[in-house]
């Protein structure tokens, strides 16, 4: 079983695909989450609405998110995205968003960021609000620019939370299963299957629990 798995084309293709997927998505989630947290940390009316919208997006399970986006990105004229693009005369025929392997992986990456971003943003907002304003005032009196204040004050204060989030998100992204199952089923072929999803396909698709383990 070990030899069959480690020399199989599906596994050899899934390993680099999984690594790239995890790295790209985790970096995107952390960077976007930090930007949103810095934007939404203030106690303002408009900011409160933004926080609510982020939290609201977090309420939907990945299964629901995947089902909605699968309808939107349907590769026929019935798909919402294709319907809009066709009626605006931006395309001449429907686009198969979930048929092209490269586009499909991009869609999965986008949706994984979509589902993981609210948690990271809310944790970082909480961490940013714990930074003493006196430190910012002292840095401002010393003539520090905004980037310098971020590097000298904000970065050390939020680093423990940021590092923890990086680990948690890497685990979360690596284990993404429901979005792949609903959106592409690992296809076309196995072109969007990550290592955990490939194990599922081996166990329940091919009844080969030995290789799946």
């Amino acid at each position: 079983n070990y030899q069959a798995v480690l020399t199989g084309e599906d596994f050899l293709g899934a390993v680099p695909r999984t690594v790239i997927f995890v790295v790209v998505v985790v970096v995107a989630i952390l960077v976007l989450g930090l930007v949103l947290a810095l934007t939404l940390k203030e106690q303002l009316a408009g900011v409160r609405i933004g926080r609510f919208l982020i939290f609201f997006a977090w309420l939907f399970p990945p299964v629901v998110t995947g089902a909605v986006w699968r309808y939107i990105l349907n590769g026929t004229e019935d798909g919402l995205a294709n319907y809009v693009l066709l009626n605006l005369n931006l395309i001449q025929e429907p686009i198969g968003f979930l048929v092209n392997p490269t586009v499909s992986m991009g869609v999965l990456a986008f949706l994984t960021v979509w589902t993981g971003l609210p948690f990271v943003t809310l944790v970082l907002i909480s961490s940013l609000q714990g930074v003493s304003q006196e430190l910012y005032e002292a840095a401002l009196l010393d003539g520090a620019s905004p980037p310098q204040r971020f590097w000298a004050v904000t970065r050390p204060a939020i680093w423990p939370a940021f590092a923890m989030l990086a680990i948690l998100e890497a685990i979360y992204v690596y284990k993404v299963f429901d979005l792949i199952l609903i959106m592409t089923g690992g296809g076309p072929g196995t072109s969007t299957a990550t290592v955990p999803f490939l194990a599922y396909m081996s166990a329940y698709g091919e009844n080969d629990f030995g290789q799946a383990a």
Side-chain angles (χ1 to χ4, degrees), residues 66-90:
V68 171
W69 278 98
R70 184 175 177 83
Y71 164 73
I72 294 173
L73 299 176
N74 190 314
T76 67
E77 296 180 1
D78 296 329
L80 182 59
N82 278 318
Y83 177 81
V84 172
L85 293 174
L86 286 169
N87 280 275
L88 292 176
N89 294 319
L90 296 177

Side-chain angles (χ1 to χ4, degrees), residues 46-190:
V47 167
R48 291 173 184 172
I49 295 174
R51 289 183 195 170
F52 171 76
L53 292 176
I54 289 177
F55 182 74
F56 185 73
W58 194 26
L59 293 177
F60 294 99
V63 173
V64 175
T65 301
V68 171
W69 278 98
R70 184 175 177 83
Y71 164 73
I72 294 173
L73 299 176
N74 190 314
T76 67
E77 296 180 1
D78 296 329
L80 182 59
N82 278 318
Y83 177 81
V84 172
L85 293 174
L86 286 169
N87 280 275
L88 292 176
N89 294 319
L90 296 177
I91 57 175
Q92 301 301 318
E93 57 183 20
I95 300 174
F97 293 101
L98 304 178
V99 175
N100 183 291
T102 303
V103 177
S104 296
M105 284 305 299
V107 169
L108 290 174
F110 167 76
L111 291 181
T112 307
V113 171
W114 176 285
T115 57
L117 188 59
F119 172 71
V120 170
T121 303
L122 293 173
V123 172
L124 289 178
I125 287 174
S126 176
S127 184
L128 286 168
Q129 289 179 337
V131 182
S132 174
Q133 289 300 314
E134 295 179 356
L135 296 175
Y136 288 114
E137 292 171 2
L140 189 61
L141 289 174
D142 289 338
S145 63
Q148 289 173 329
R149 292 198 298 272
F150 173 82
W151 188 257
V153 179
T154 306
R155 180 187 58 85
I158 68 171
W159 175 250
F162 195 83
M164 177 198 69
L165 286 171
I167 296 172
L168 291 176
E169 288 303 308
I171 296 172
Y172 163 73
V173 174
Y174 175 76
K175 296 196 305 180
V176 165
F177 171 82
D178 32 20
L179 286 176
I180 299 176
L181 180 65
I182 293 171
M183 295 298 295
T184 66
T190 57

Side-chain angles (χ1 to χ4, degrees), residues 15-51:
V15 170
R17 184 186 309 120
T18 303
V19 172
I20 294 172
F21 180 74
V22 170
V23 170
V24 170
V25 172
V26 169
V27 169
I29 289 176
L30 293 176
V31 171
L32 292 174
L34 180 58
V35 171
L36 284 174
L38 289 170
T39 304
L40 300 175
K41 70 174 181 176
E42 304 298 335
Q43 297 288 347
L44 301 174
V47 167
R48 291 173 184 172
I49 295 174
R51 289 183 195 170

